[in-house]
Amino acid sequence: MTPSVEAIYRSESRRVLATLIRVLGDFDLAEEALHEAFFVAVERWPQEGVPDNPRAWLVSTGRFKAIDRLRRQARFTPLLQEQADALEATDWSAEDVEDDRLRLIFTCCHPALAPDAQTALTLREICDLTTEEIARAFLATPATIAQRIVRAKGKIREARIPYQVPSLAELPERLDSVLRVIYLVFNEGYSASMGADLTREAFTREAIRLGRLLMELLPEPEVVGLLALMLLHESRRAARTSVSGELVLLSEQDRSLWDASLIVEGCTLVARALTTGRFGPYCLQAAIAAVHAEAPTAAETDWPQIVGLYDVLLRATPSPVIELNRAVAVAMGQGPLAGLQLVEGIFQRGELTDYHLAHSARGEFCRQLGRIEEARSAYEKALSLTQQIPEKRFLEQRLAELHLHKQ
C-alpha cells in the first residue's frame, strides 16, 4: 500500500467494515468487499488523489464490488441474483456510519452467542486483532479461536440476528457483555498482549469513543464507571514508557506527563457514578484509579484506601487477578513480605501459575527482600510467559541487576 492508503486503512478499515456489514448484512461478504475496496484504492488514489470522504468512497466501492461478486456467483446459485438486485435497489446511508461500530458490538455480543464467541468475534471484527493475538489473550490455540469466530458468524446468519442497537427495554440485560468487550478492547490497547510496543493507542482511543457513545445511549453507573476507568488509565499513557520505549513502573513515572484534563474528567465521572449507590466492578476499579491519579507523588498514595476498595471489589467480583493487584497494594503500604505472602497463597491454590504478571510481582517482592535466587527464578518464569517486547526487556534488565548484585 502507498503511505496514504496504509494510513487510512489503519484509521478507517474497521469503521468501513462495520458499515459494510450493515449495508451487506453478511460478515464474510463485507470482509471481502473491504479488501477489494482497498485494492481499488491502491490502484486509483496515487493517480486520482485521495477522495474528500475516503470512508464513504470505500464503503460505496466495497458495496459495488460485493454486488458484482454476487452476480458472478449467481450463475451457480440463482438466489444470489435476488440478493444482488436487492442490494443495488437499497440506498445506504452515510449519515449513520459513526454508530455502526456500536451496532456491530451489540450484534457480536448478542445473547444467542456464547460469551467466549462474543468476545472473540468482537476483537476480530471491531479491532482487527489476528486470531493469534486473540488466542494469546484467551490462553487458547489460534485454531480454537478461528472455530469460535466461524461458528459465531454462522449463528448470526442462521438466527438472523439484527444489526442494530437494542431498544431501551432490552439494553440493560445486554449491557454486561458489551461492557466486558469494550474493556477487553481497551486493555489490548493499554497493555498489548504481544509485540514491539507496550501500548496500541488506536485501540484505547476506539474503546473510549465507544464508551462515550454507550454513555450517551445509556448513562448507567457502570457505563459511566467504565468510561472513567479508561480515561484515568489513558491519562498515564505518556509516562508509561521512556523516550526509548522502555517500560516505566507506576511508582517511577513522571506525573507531570499525566494528562490533567483526562484525570479531571475521569474523577468527575467516578464521583457521579458512586453517588448513585448502584455501582459495580467498573466503578470500583475507576475509584482505585482515581486515588492513584489524585496522589501528587507515589509516596503520597493512599494505599489503605486502595486496599479497602480492592476488598469491596473482591466481594463483588472474586478473582485471582484482583487478589494479585490487592497484594501489590498491600506490599506498597505494609512492605514486600506482606505482598509476597499473599501472592504465594494464590500460587498454592494453583491459580495464576501461567500469568506472567504474578511471577513478575513475586520476583519484585523477593528482590526487595534480598532473596536473590527466588527473585531470579520468578523473573525467569515471567520472562518465559510474556510475549510483549518492552516487558521482556524490563525483566531482562531486572535479571541483569540481580546478576550484578550477586557479584
Side-chain angles (χ1 to χ4, degrees):
M1 289 189 188
T2 62
S4 60
V5 179
E6 186 174 357
I8 288 171
Y9 182 87
R10 286 197 304 269
S11 64
E12 299 290 349
S13 63
R14 294 299 100 185
R15 292 184 175 89
V16 172
L17 177 63
T19 300
L20 283 170
I21 292 172
R22 168 169 65 86
V23 171
L24 302 175
D26 183 279
F27 278 82
D28 293 333
L29 184 62
E31 287 171 0
E32 292 167 356
L34 172 74
H35 295 143
E36 290 194 39
F38 271 100
F39 182 79
V40 175
V42 169
E43 289 184 326
R44 293 186 185 175
W45 289 3
Q47 286 76 38
E48 301 175 6
V50 177
D52 292 337
N53 188 338
R55 190 189 308 173
W57 186 97
L58 288 162
V59 172
S60 180
T61 302
R63 174 176 172 268
F64 282 120
K65 287 293 182 181
I67 291 170
D68 288 343
R69 175 182 289 271
L70 290 172
R71 286 195 168 132
R72 288 195 305 271
Q73 294 173 343
R75 289 176 295 173
F76 311 103
T77 311
L79 285 175
L80 294 181
Q81 182 64 50
E82 295 179 17
Q83 185 179 353
D85 292 342
L87 286 174
E88 189 169 40
T90 304
D91 291 331
W92 71 277
S93 170
E95 298 176 359
D96 297 331
V97 295
E98 284 300 325
D99 294 338
D100 278 335
R101 300 187 85 180
L102 192 58
R103 290 189 185 93
L104 183 54
I105 282 187
F106 275 102
T107 301
C108 293
C109 296
H110 195 278
L113 305 178
D116 55 1
Q118 293 173 359
T119 305
L121 185 62
T122 304
L123 292 176
R124 178 72 194 95
E125 302 303 328
I126 297 289
C127 303
D128 200 22
L129 265 68
T130 65
T131 52
E132 289 77 12
E133 290 170 319
I134 300 170
R136 173 68 185 173
F138 274 113
L139 301 177
T141 65
T144 298
I145 296 301
Q147 288 171 357
R148 288 178 189 172
I149 292 171
V150 168
R151 285 198 298 267
K153 289 179 180 178
K155 182 72 173 179
I156 289 171
R157 184 169 54 250
E158 293 160 11
R160 299 184 181 275
I161 291 173
Y163 182 76
Q164 63 187 31
V165 174
S167 67
L168 286 175
E170 297 174 309
L171 269 175
E173 64 178 352
R174 298 276 297 278
L175 194 57
D176 287 347
S177 295
V178 173
L179 292 177
R180 185 186 74 250
V181 170
I182 291 176
Y183 194 38
L184 281 169
V185 172
F186 180 84
N187 278 337
E188 182 58 34
Y190 183 75
S191 183
S193 57
M194 59 173 62
D197 299 318
L198 179 68
T199 63
R200 297 180 176 188
E201 185 177 358
F203 285 25
T204 55
R205 186 172 60 245
E206 182 60 23
I208 289 170
R209 190 188 74 82
L210 290 169
R212 291 189 190 281
L213 275 175
L214 190 60
M215 190 175 74
E216 289 176 16
L217 186 67
L218 189 70
E220 287 292 308
E222 277 293 82
V223 177
V224 176
L226 174 58
L227 179 58
L229 175 60
M230 295 190 294
L231 292 172
L232 290 167
H233 281 327
E234 183 69 3
S235 71
R236 302 199 295 262
R237 172 185 292 280
R240 294 183 61 229
T241 55
S242 66
V243 175
S244 59
E246 302 304 316
L247 185 153
V248 180
L249 297 177
L250 175 62
S251 60
E252 299 170 5
Q253 289 175 13
D254 179 356
R255 299 187 177 212
S256 68
L257 297 176
W258 289 5
D259 189 319
S261 64
L262 291 182
I263 290 173
V264 169
E265 184 180 5
C267 289
T268 301
L269 289 174
V270 170
R272 170 181 161 186
L274 292 179
T275 55
T276 67
R278 296 185 291 113
F279 50 83
Y282 294 113
C283 291
L284 290 167
Q285 291 177 76
I288 291 168
V291 176
H292 284 296
E294 292 173 332
T297 65
E300 295 174 88
T301 303
D302 188 342
W303 292 110
Q305 184 180 3
I306 289 176
V307 172
L309 286 166
Y310 273 125
D311 289 338
V312 178
L313 181 59
L314 274 171
R315 288 196 293 271
T317 312
S319 159
V321 173
I322 295 173
E323 282 189 65
L324 174 65
N325 293 336
R326 180 183 180 278
V328 173
V330 168
M332 295 300 294
Q334 302 176 24
L337 182 58
L340 179 61
Q341 290 170 342
L342 293 171
V343 172
E344 295 286 10
I346 296 171
F347 284 146
Q348 286 168 8
R349 299 199 309 266
E351 295 178 312
L352 302 187
T353 55
D354 291 327
Y355 187 47
H356 72 280
L357 292 178
H359 293 282
S360 181
R362 182 177 184 276
E364 183 64 19
F365 297 150
C366 289
R367 183 186 72 85
Q368 293 176 19
L369 291 166
R371 293 158 63 164
I372 303 304
E373 289 306 316
E374 291 177 79
R376 177 180 291 107
S377 176
Y379 281 137
E380 287 174 347
K381 180 65 174 177
L383 184 60
S384 73
L385 291 170
T386 185
Q387 298 295 312
Q388 191 189 88
I389 292 173
E391 287 185 341
K392 282 181 176 290
R393 289 199 299 262
F394 174 81
L395 292 167
E396 288 166 350
Q397 179 62 34
R398 280 288 195 254
L399 285 166
E401 291 168 358
L402 292 179
H403 180 71
L404 289 174
H405 184 277
K406 187 176 180 180
Q407 291 181 331

